[in-house]
Amino acid sequence: MAWQGIEGHDAIVRRFIAAHERGRIAGSYLFVGPPGVGKGSFALALAKSLTCQAPQPGLVACGACGSCVQADAGSHPDIDLVRKPDDKATLPLELFIGDDEHRMREGLCWRILLRPALGGRKVAVIMDADHFSEESANCLLKTLEEPPDAAVIILVGTSPERQLPTIRSRCQVIRFTPLPAEVVRSVIERESQAAATSVDSATLDACGRHAGGSLTRARLLLDPDVTAFRTRLLELLARRPLPGVELARDTTAFVEAAGKEAPPRRARMRIVIDEVLDVFRGAIRGAPEAGDAPQRNAVAAWAADPDAASSAIDATLAAAADIDRFLNVNVVIDAWTAVLEEPRLARSG
Ligand SMILES: [Zn+2]
């Protein structure tokens, strides 16, 4: 079953349909789950359904009314979408209450108080909810405490632990899980057909299996350079002693090959981080069945020393947080690979 093009989250779809039928759509939701599984797409599809002027059974937007047309064009006056700018570490305060000259005369918290332009609901979708600054969160808090009638605010983050407790406690938490490999494969196949690019069946299979349930990761794996580096990375991780210098050098080269811009570089670093986390976690709790030979070899090497795998997870999560905070990618890679090479140093330190 695909609900408005959303695959793999049927239980959540049923939950919203049931809530809608009972008139119990909440004022605020917090969507959490791994990156790339479709939380943002789900939020926008839900926003379109909730504002549709001729909704179909099953909380499906008609796709033809004035509201749906504007939702599809991204110009709906009652659907408010905000996200963290690429060059900012946190969601800027201005997004919520306007800049200095327009305090509380602009921004999401102001707009949501306005009467719906099309007479239905107002829906606000806040992407990157992991990246609230304290002051932005405090501004939103007032809106979450006294939400306007029929308004729905959807926050899209990754884990409840990354949200400020004050925000988390005011939202209904909806948990998204990684997509099954076959769903990833079929979505990627459909996307490549729509883009008129031919992707062979073996590549689609590999994308589905190695993406860890993330469409974002699967899309990156369509790039042969990324797939080649993945294999190289797993080979290095399987070697003992761990070749830390080579690992740092090759990872840096891979990340820099994405170009001079920071966002594609961070996307490549993200895929490195996801890949190695799969290895370390697999070493501790058993490898995923879908793993290929390079992955199984790397997992086996780390499974021999669970303490080292555990330290490596901590170091990798710290590196991921540093990347999010815009620390220099090369510096992060050097520090991170040094810990992987000698995990006990990190433990004692
Ligand atoms: Zn409609």
Side-chain angles (χ1 to χ4, degrees):
M1 181 183 96
W3 172 77
Q4 308 197 86
I6 306 286
E7 289 185 51
H9 300 301
D10 297 352
I12 298 173
V13 172
R14 284 194 295 273
R15 177 173 174 172
F16 275 106
I17 292 171
H20 187 247
E21 281 169 355
R22 296 198 311 271
R24 302 275 294 168
I25 293 289
S28 49
Y29 291 97
L30 170 61
F31 286 7
V32 292
V37 300
K39 302 181 299 291
S41 305
F42 193 108
L44 293 176
L46 183 63
K48 183 177 164 186
S49 294
L50 290 174
T51 52
C52 174
Q53 291 161 328
Q56 314 290 298
L59 198 53
V60 170
C62 76
C65 71
S67 174
C68 283
V69 170
Q70 294 196 68
D72 286 338
S75 59
H76 199 296
D78 300 321
I79 298 177
D80 208 333
L81 170 65
V82 299
R83 61 172 78 242
K84 181 177 76 62
D86 270 337
D87 61 343
K88 293 282 192 311
T90 56
L91 285 160
L93 187 62
E94 301 86 79
L95 287 178
F96 298 95
I97 57 168
D99 61 20
D100 281 342
E101 278 108 65
H102 305 90
R103 278 282 188 265
M104 277 324 283
R105 283 176 287 132
E106 273 183 12
L108 182 143
C109 295
W110 175 76
R111 287 190 299 266
I112 200 143
L113 296 172
L114 303 177
R115 196 186 299 273
L118 300 186
R121 286 176 188 271
K122 291 191 87 77
V123 181
V125 178
I126 303 168
M127 304 289 186
D128 308 306
D130 289 353
H131 302 285
F132 266 103
S133 66
E134 198 96 28
E135 52 176 6
S136 295
N138 282 335
C139 289
L140 183 67
L141 223 47
K142 297 186 189 77
T143 309
L144 290 176
E145 272 165 2
E146 294 167 37
D149 279 348
V152 179
I153 302 171
I154 305 171
L155 288 82
V156 181
T158 57
S159 77
E161 292 72 33
R162 292 190 66 171
Q163 317 305 317
L164 295 169
T166 44
I167 288 210
R168 191 176 59 218
S169 64
R170 284 166 178 79
C171 296
Q172 211 178 100
V173 178
I174 307 284
R175 288 167 198 274
F176 287 70
T177 52
L179 296 168
E182 62 274 14
V183 170
V184 173
R185 190 195 188 284
S186 79
V187 171
I188 294 297
E189 184 172 28
R190 219 178 36 235
E191 285 180 357
S192 56
Q193 282 162 355
T197 51
S198 72
V199 180
D200 62 78
S201 180
T203 305
L204 288 172
D205 287 347
C207 276
R209 276 203 314 274
H210 302 150
S214 159
L215 292 173
T216 309
R217 206 165 147 190
R219 289 180 193 118
L220 287 168
L221 285 170
L222 282 174
D223 179 345
D225 290 346
V226 174
T227 312
F229 179 74
R230 172 185 178 274
T231 307
R232 169 81 180 146
L233 175 67
L234 292 171
E235 276 165 14
L236 291 173
L237 284 175
R239 269 197 236 159
R240 288 295 176 274
L242 187 85
V245 174
E246 259 176 279
L247 184 63
R249 189 194 59 208
D250 289 10
T251 304
T252 304
F254 171 68
V255 169
E256 288 183 345
K260 291 248 178 288
E261 299 293 317
R265 283 187 172 203
R266 279 203 303 275
R268 280 201 165 193
M269 193 56 207
R270 194 70 237 181
I271 206 166
V272 172
I273 284 167
D274 289 343
E275 203 63 57
V276 299
L277 280 176
D278 279 357
V279 168
F280 303 147
R281 286 176 175 150
I284 288 173
R285 66 172 182 220
E289 284 173 26
D292 55 357
Q295 193 183 45
R296 283 198 302 274
N297 293 340
V299 169
W302 286 87
D305 189 349
D307 283 349
S310 165
S311 299
I313 289 176
D314 295 344
T316 307
L317 291 174
D322 288 345
I323 297 286
D324 282 348
R325 281 203 299 272
F326 292 88
L327 295 186
N328 180 297
V329 175
N330 298 357
V331 174
V332 174
I333 290 172
D334 280 341
W336 170 63
T337 50
V339 177
L340 296 196
E341 212 173 9
E342 205 40 83
R344 268 150 210 91
L345 291 181
R347 291 238 135 171
S348 60

